[in-house]
Amino acid sequence: MQDETDPPPSDPPSPGADPEPDAAGGRRTVFVALGAAAGLAGLAAGCAAPPLSTAAAPAVPGAPAPRGRLEGQSVLVTGAARGIGRAICLAAAREGADVLGFDIAGPASRHVGYPPATPADLAETERLVQALGRRFLPVQGDVRSRPALARAVDQAVGAFGKLDAVVANAGIMVPEGIAEVNDEGWRDVLDVNLTGAANTFRAAIPAMSARRRGRMVAIASMLGRMGAPISPQYNAAKWGLIGLVKSAALELGGKGITVNAVSPTGVNTVMLRNARQYAAVTPRAVPGRVPEAVAATASRTVHPLGVPWVEPEDVAAVVVFLASDEARYVSGASFDVTAGLGAIYTA
Ligand SMILES: NC(=O)c1ccc[n+]([C@@H]2O[C@H](COP(=O)([O-])OP(=O)(O)OC[C@H]3O[C@@H](n4cnc5c(N)ncnc54)[C@H](O)[C@@H]3O)[C@@H](O)[C@H]2O)c1
């Protein structure tokens, strides 16, 4: 979801024109690591088995209309008001799912340096899903409250008859180094990004295990698979989230539930495209004075596919795959959506 007040940067200056040399070593790499579509192409190319869904069936005169990959399913998405969460709601609806969108739709922490989502944002997600012909239940709540999530699951089951998939997407970013990080800000990031995701999964277990079928997806981050010198609490939460996914996958497989993570590089949302983030990732930056084009150029140079960030829709596409029948035996995995940068991992 592009921030309409913040137009995309123009093409980068030619090499050598970057006014901010990379004096801080890995900081450029870190910027892009904040955060996706190469994985899908690889999956499709490597898949020898016949397709499980009818979504790609050729149009035959008189044949029934093609069905979406999530036709008739019910999906709960946290952080649904905007950004990646909204893109997931829309992608799921486009594939035939009804959606419960859960969001705090207000400030989650006073340490976050970018504007919070609003009830109007959540209402806009609702409007967009309904325009696709699917049902949408907006629920305002905080992922730090497991009872609130349990109620949301009940609402989804009440309205849609079942719960097929949950996406633990809600998250916040506070770019503060370990030397200066504030105690409360530290707790907020861990509580929302890690405990909030655990709460989301835990709330869904009863409804999913009763049907012996369920899909759980967490939006982690490339910063859950590598280190970075700008956000230790965010890194710790996202590394923890992938650990949670793997443990839950092992435990819940016997209940017919798959659990996976998606780990994006920087994504074109408010969380990434704000002045504080640009300052945090740019050497010798004056806060609030780093032009977006400078940060974007630094980021573009480290992505093998040559983009400064990926789009929320690139992340949503992988989530749809993981929620679909095609991914019935995919569990305990983390899927990079990193425009190629994830190749720097050791494995
Ligand atoms: N944008 C990136 O560069 C990037 C990269 C990798 C991973 N991610 C992850 O993707 C997820 C979505 O991020 P985004 O970029 O769309 O950010 P965003 O700020 O645009 O959206 C996050 C949404 O989560 C909601 N939210 C925050 N705290 C909440 C809480 N306590 N309870 C309920 N809802 C809450 C917000 O209101 C907002 O609508 C996050 O987990 C983030 O860490 C983002």
Side-chain angles (χ1 to χ4, degrees):
M1 185 64 45
Q2 185 157 318
D3 178 357
E4 287 170 8
T5 62
D6 201 0
S10 53
D11 283 335
S14 56
D18 182 350
E20 292 284 347
D22 190 5
R27 285 200 160 197
R28 285 186 176 182
T29 305
V30 167
F31 173 68
V32 297
L34 264 176
L40 270 189
L43 282 167
C47 178
L52 292 170
S53 92
T54 56
V60 176
R67 291 161 56 83
R69 286 186 293 165
L70 306 181
E71 196 69 38
Q73 295 201 9
S74 153
V75 179
L76 187 157
V77 180
T78 70
R82 70 180 186 192
I84 297 170
R86 178 185 284 170
I88 293 167
C89 293
L90 297 182
R94 221 171 271 122
E95 294 290 343
D98 294 318
V99 182
L100 186 146
F102 185 97
D103 202 291
I104 195 168
S109 165
R110 63 195 176 98
H111 301 281
V112 169
Y114 48 88
T118 64
D121 291 325
L122 189 55
E124 176 64 3
T125 303
E126 176 178 22
R127 187 187 72 75
L128 293 168
V129 168
Q130 288 175 346
L132 292 168
R134 305 310 311 183
R135 291 178 288 177
F136 184 85
L137 261 184
V139 174
Q140 202 168 344
D142 191 327
V143 292
R144 285 166 286 197
S145 166
R146 199 156 60 85
L149 283 160
R151 283 193 299 275
V153 168
D154 288 346
Q155 282 178 269
V157 173
F160 308 140
K162 59 189 172 131
L163 180 64
D164 294 289
V166 287
V167 185
N169 163 75
I172 55 174
M173 159 58 101
V174 178
E176 287 176 338
I178 194 159
E180 71 256 17
V181 68
N182 173 280
D183 284 349
E184 185 186 69
W186 179 281
R187 277 194 300 274
D188 287 347
V189 171
L190 267 291
D191 288 350
V192 174
N193 294 8
L194 178 55
T195 307
N199 287 341
T200 307
F201 288 172
R202 291 170 70 196
I205 291 170
M208 290 183 172
S209 47
R211 294 177 60 231
R212 297 195 63 76
R213 186 192 188 285
R215 299 296 164 85
M216 298 182 176
V217 182
I219 306 304
S221 168
M222 189 163 152
L223 294 190
R225 290 167 60 74
M226 63 182 288
I230 60 158
S231 53
Q233 72 297 58
Y234 187 90
N235 275 56
K238 296 297 188 180
W239 276 79
L241 185 49
I242 294 175
L244 168 74
V245 159
K246 289 181 182 294
S247 296
L250 290 170
E251 183 182 335
L252 299 177
K255 298 181 188 298
I257 299 169
T258 68
V259 192
N260 292 286
V262 182
S263 299
T265 184
V267 185
N268 184 9
T269 73
V270 180
M271 178 185 283
L272 178 75
R273 295 182 64 182
N274 64 82
R276 192 171 169 197
Q277 194 66 35
Y278 298 150
V281 298
T282 308
R284 299 190 310 278
V286 179
R289 296 271 180 82
V290 180
E292 178 175 80
V294 170
T297 298
S299 178
R300 197 187 291 262
T301 58
V302 299
H303 283 112
L305 289 169
V307 291
W309 43 65
V310 300
E311 297 300 322
E313 291 74 16
D314 296 312
V315 182
V318 182
V319 174
V320 165
F321 164 70
L322 290 170
S324 74
D325 287 347
E326 292 162 297
R328 60 187 174 169
Y329 295 136
V330 178
S331 194
S334 172
F335 285 78
D336 281 358
V337 185
T338 60
L341 184 56
I344 63 173
Y345 305 142
T346 52

